[in-house]
């Protein structure tokens, strides 16, 4: 089951980011060693009354002049229409209804996507209701009055948003074909890889950064097995500003990664790993997906017998938060090692959904504890009672201990390494949940 994606669209200064932060609040996981991902905070995973969804703030890009505002809003609305399941269209009661709102409302209405009209900054419900009703004129349904800053009205809004989830056909449940997202910066050769694998030019490729038109799912058959490749689109329109291209490609990446089992991160061999690559890798890591790092354009690199080893080390250094990722060196141009990708995908999928018996896990843990004593604090020593695997995709383990505070990150990582030594789990992150249990 994929999480629905909800996007916030609206003019500058109507309070999109305030709403985003109010909803995401403390739920944004700042992963200490994942670079760049959460600092941009374009997306967050939200839980609301048993509903989970991914919230996207399209407003990371704020133009200065008014004539750009409409084109920007349209751009943001287009992104939301392309990627979101439900759209929150945000207006501001204090600025009232303006022309740009009406134009964007038309776009949203034509998209046939569910749109929730939200009127922000309603600090005094009774006094301002007449002004709120004015927004009925947009013709996209009943306006919901909120104040993001005071956090009022958010419950009603979320109820409206989640009402639409039931009718979403979120990927046929019985479709068990592996989904592979091909992600990476513009121009690293994502589309070329898919074209080569499918043997046809389905995806328009040209050499201008950010020209692939739209996210395309391509069905590929290899050795009798079917795969679905998700190509993360570039932009519909070429944007002049590098930050914009990056922001948009991050949003597209988030939506593709959400839907995938395995994420192939394509890196340009000539350029090497960049900060943007690290951000994209961070999204896959945070989402607990299987990961393959494909270094493309390998044919263009001068090599000696140490090149692969040195290059791998460099990649591992920069992407140090995902030591489990598998690295491959390929060339979409010459087809070098391209078809080995399928073997690697199968291998990672297997690890991503591997289950380990509880008995064996507890043996490994007992041995690990015997070899390296758990930490203690003020005379109290950490005790590990029991470990069991509770989920796959990614493999998730619960460890019962006497005191959660004593279970340092580093000791959890030590246990993880012992489990990996025994079972490999290559290409997949592992999750650990630490629970307290009173001693008998």
């Amino acid at each position: 089951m994929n999480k629905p994606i909800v996007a916030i669209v609206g003019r500058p200064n109507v309070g999109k980011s305030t709403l985003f932060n109010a909803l995401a609040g403390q739920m944004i996981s700042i992963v200490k060693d994942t670079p760049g991902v959460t600092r941009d905070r374009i997306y967050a995973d939200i839980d609301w009354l048993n509903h989970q969804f991914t919230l996207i703030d399209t407003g990371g890009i704020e133009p200065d002049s008014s004539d750009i505002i409409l084109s920007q809003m349209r751009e943001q609305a287009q992104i939301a229409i392309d990627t979101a399941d439900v759209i929150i269209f945000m207006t501001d009661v204090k600025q009232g209804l303006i022309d740009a709102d009406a134009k964007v409302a038309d776009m949203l209405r034509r998209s046939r996507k569910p749109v929730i009209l939200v009127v922000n900054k309603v600090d005094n419900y009774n006094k301002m209701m007449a002004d709120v009703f004015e927004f009925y004129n947009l013709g996209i349904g009943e306006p919901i009055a909120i104040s993001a800053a005071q956090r009022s009205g958010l419950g009603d809004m979320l109820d409206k948003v989640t009402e639409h989830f039931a009718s979403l056909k979120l990927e046929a449940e019985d479709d068990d074909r592996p989904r592979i997202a091909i992600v990476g910066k513009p121009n690293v050769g994502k589309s070329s890889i898919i074209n080569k694998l499918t043997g046809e030019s389905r995806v328009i490729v040209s050499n201008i950064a950010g020209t692939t038109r739209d996210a395309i799912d391509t069905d590929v058959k290899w050795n009798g097995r079917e795969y679905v490749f998700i190509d993360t689109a570039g932009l519909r329109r070429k944007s002049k500003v590098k930050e914009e291209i990056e922001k948009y490609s991050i949003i597209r990446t988030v939506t593709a990664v959400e839907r995938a089992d395995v994420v192939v991160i394509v890196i340009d061999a000539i350029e090497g790993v960049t900060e943007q690559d690290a951000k994209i890798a961070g999204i896959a890591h945070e989402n607990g997906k299987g990961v393959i790092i494909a270094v493309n354009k390998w044919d263009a690199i001068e090599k000696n017998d140490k090149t692969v080893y040195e290059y791998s080390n460099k990649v591992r250094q920069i992407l140090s938060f995902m030591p489990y990722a598998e690295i491959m060196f390929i060339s979409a141009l010459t087809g070098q090692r391209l078809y080995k990708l399928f073997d690697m995908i199968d291998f990672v999928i297997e690890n991503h959904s591997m289950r380990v018996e509880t008995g064996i896990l507890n043996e490994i843990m007992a041995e690990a504890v015997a070899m390296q004593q758990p930490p203690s604090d003020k005379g109290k020593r950490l005790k590990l009672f029991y470990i069991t695997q509770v989920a796959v995709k990614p493999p998730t383990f619960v460890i019962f201990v006497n005191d959660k505070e004593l279970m340092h990150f580093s000791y959890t990582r030590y246990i993880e390494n012992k489990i990996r030594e025994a079972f490999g789990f290559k290409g997949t992150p592992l999750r650990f949940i630490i629970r307290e249990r009173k001693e008998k």
Side-chain angles (χ1 to χ4, degrees):
M1 177 67 176
N2 293 293
K3 282 188 297 216
I5 288 168
V6 177
I8 309 173
V9 175
R11 274 183 288 124
N13 304 324
V14 292
K16 294 189 292 294
S17 297
T18 312
L19 176 65
F20 180 79
N21 291 336
L23 294 178
Q26 299 312 305
M27 288 182 255
I28 293 194
S29 56
I30 300 271
V31 177
K32 284 186 228 34
D33 50 2
T34 314
V37 174
T38 35
R39 288 192 269 305
D40 290 0
R41 307 228 308 199
I42 300 180
Y43 71 100
D45 292 322
I46 310 289
D47 277 312
W48 169 253
L49 305 179
N50 300 332
H51 293 285
Q52 291 180 316
F53 62 93
T54 298
L55 183 69
I56 290 183
D57 177 11
T58 61
I61 310 135
E62 299 293 19
D64 318 323
S65 72
S66 56
D67 58 323
I68 314 182
I69 286 180
L70 182 60
S71 70
Q72 287 294 47
M73 279 179 71
R74 284 196 168 132
E75 187 85 58
Q76 290 172 10
Q78 193 56 60
I79 294 257
I81 289 165
D82 290 346
T83 53
D85 297 303
V86 179
I87 297 166
I88 294 175
F89 180 40
M90 195 167 190
T91 56
D92 171 352
V93 75
K94 303 215 160 120
Q95 292 177 35
L97 189 54
I98 66 166
D99 192 36
D101 289 331
K103 290 200 166 105
V104 173
D106 284 343
M107 250 179 100
L108 296 175
R109 192 170 45 241
R110 283 198 301 272
S111 76
R112 306 226 182 272
K113 292 263 171 117
V115 178
I116 312 296
L117 173 60
V118 171
V119 184
N120 190 25
K121 305 187 188 172
V122 180
D123 311 328
N124 182 327
Y125 205 77
N126 300 333
K127 266 194 197 152
M128 297 176 161
M129 269 336 266
D131 299 330
V132 170
F133 288 142
E134 182 196 355
F135 287 89
Y136 268 112
N137 293 325
L138 286 173
I140 48 175
E142 182 189 354
I144 296 173
I146 68 162
S147 164
Q150 295 177 3
R151 298 182 176 218
S152 63
L154 302 190
D156 294 348
M157 179 193 76
L158 287 171
D159 286 345
K160 277 276 185 284
V161 168
T162 53
E163 259 170 34
H164 290 285
F165 292 173
S167 59
L168 296 175
K169 294 179 185 62
L170 289 171
E171 239 103 76
E173 294 292 312
D174 53 356
D175 184 355
D176 53 5
R177 295 175 300 172
R179 296 187 172 280
I180 320 302
I182 307 279
V183 303
K185 300 195 307 285
N187 261 20
V188 290
K190 302 186 289 288
S191 303
S192 312
I193 290 172
I194 291 180
N195 288 342
K196 198 82 168 188
L197 294 177
T198 50
E200 52 180 309
S201 292
R202 289 263 321 250
V203 193
I204 307 155
V205 182
S206 78
N207 288 328
I208 312 156
T211 48
T212 323
R213 273 186 65 87
D214 222 328
I216 303 176
D217 284 8
T218 310
D219 300 341
V220 181
K221 215 170 175 166
W222 175 255
N223 278 349
R225 188 172 188 188
E226 287 187 30
Y227 304 82
V228 180
F229 280 86
I230 304 166
D231 179 24
T232 45
L235 302 170
R236 289 181 157 255
R237 286 179 284 291
K238 290 187 280 300
S239 181
K240 311 274 182 299
V241 188
K242 181 166 174 283
E243 284 78 39
E244 284 183 27
I245 290 189
E246 290 197 355
K247 276 263 161 66
Y248 288 151
S249 68
I250 290 271
I251 289 178
R252 287 277 164 86
T253 301
V254 171
T255 56
V257 166
E258 284 277 343
R259 294 174 49 218
D261 302 304
V262 174
V263 177
V264 177
I265 300 161
V266 185
I267 285 169
D268 185 324
I270 304 157
E271 241 187 288
V273 187
T274 63
E275 190 188 344
Q276 178 79 347
D277 292 322
K279 276 184 194 168
I280 289 169
I283 293 169
H285 176 70
E286 288 198 330
N287 272 285
K289 304 294 182 177
V291 176
I292 297 166
I293 296 163
V295 182
N296 188 25
K297 308 183 187 175
W298 193 240
D299 56 297
I301 297 287
E302 296 270 322
K303 300 177 209 39
N304 59 31
D305 53 351
K306 293 195 189 63
T307 317
V308 164
Y309 173 74
E310 286 167 357
Y311 207 103
S312 298
N313 276 358
K314 221 180 286 171
V315 172
R316 295 248 179 254
Q317 256 170 350
I318 297 175
L319 304 182
S320 59
F321 56 90
M322 45 165 61
Y324 54 83
E326 288 286 317
I327 302 179
M328 294 181 71
F329 296 90
I330 63 169
S331 163
L333 188 66
T334 66
Q336 178 188 16
R337 275 191 223 93
L338 205 52
Y339 292 100
K340 292 235 167 76
L341 193 56
F342 289 107
D343 296 341
M344 188 64 93
I345 287 168
D346 289 345
F347 174 63
V348 170
I349 285 173
E350 207 171 297
N351 288 338
H352 197 227
S353 44
M354 176 157 56
R355 280 191 188 276
V356 181
E357 285 171 35
T358 302
I360 300 171
L361 281 173
N362 282 286
E363 279 170 32
I364 293 169
M365 188 171 79
E367 208 170 287
V369 168
M371 280 166 63
Q372 188 176 319
Q373 236 192 354
S376 62
D377 185 38
K378 302 194 179 69
K380 185 173 186 185
R381 185 168 293 286
L382 170 69
K383 284 185 188 152
L384 287 70
F385 299 128
Y386 186 74
I387 181 171
T388 184
Q389 185 175 350
V390 292
V392 294
K393 295 185 174 185
T396 304
F397 305 89
V398 171
I399 301 178
F400 291 95
V401 300
N402 61 338
D403 186 346
K404 246 159 97 163
E405 296 298 305
L406 291 172
M407 186 76 175
H408 294 189
F409 174 66
S410 57
Y411 202 75
T412 307
R413 182 161 279 183
Y414 163 69
I415 299 288
E416 171 176 350
N417 290 340
K418 289 296 174 207
I419 291 174
R420 285 188 184 278
E421 273 170 35
F423 297 101
F425 277 119
K426 285 195 159 142
T428 175
L430 302 182
R431 294 264 162 91
F432 288 87
I433 299 163
I434 310 300
R435 292 264 159 82
E436 265 178 38
R437 200 172 80 182
K438 291 291 162 263
E439 296 182 53
K440 297 273 188 297

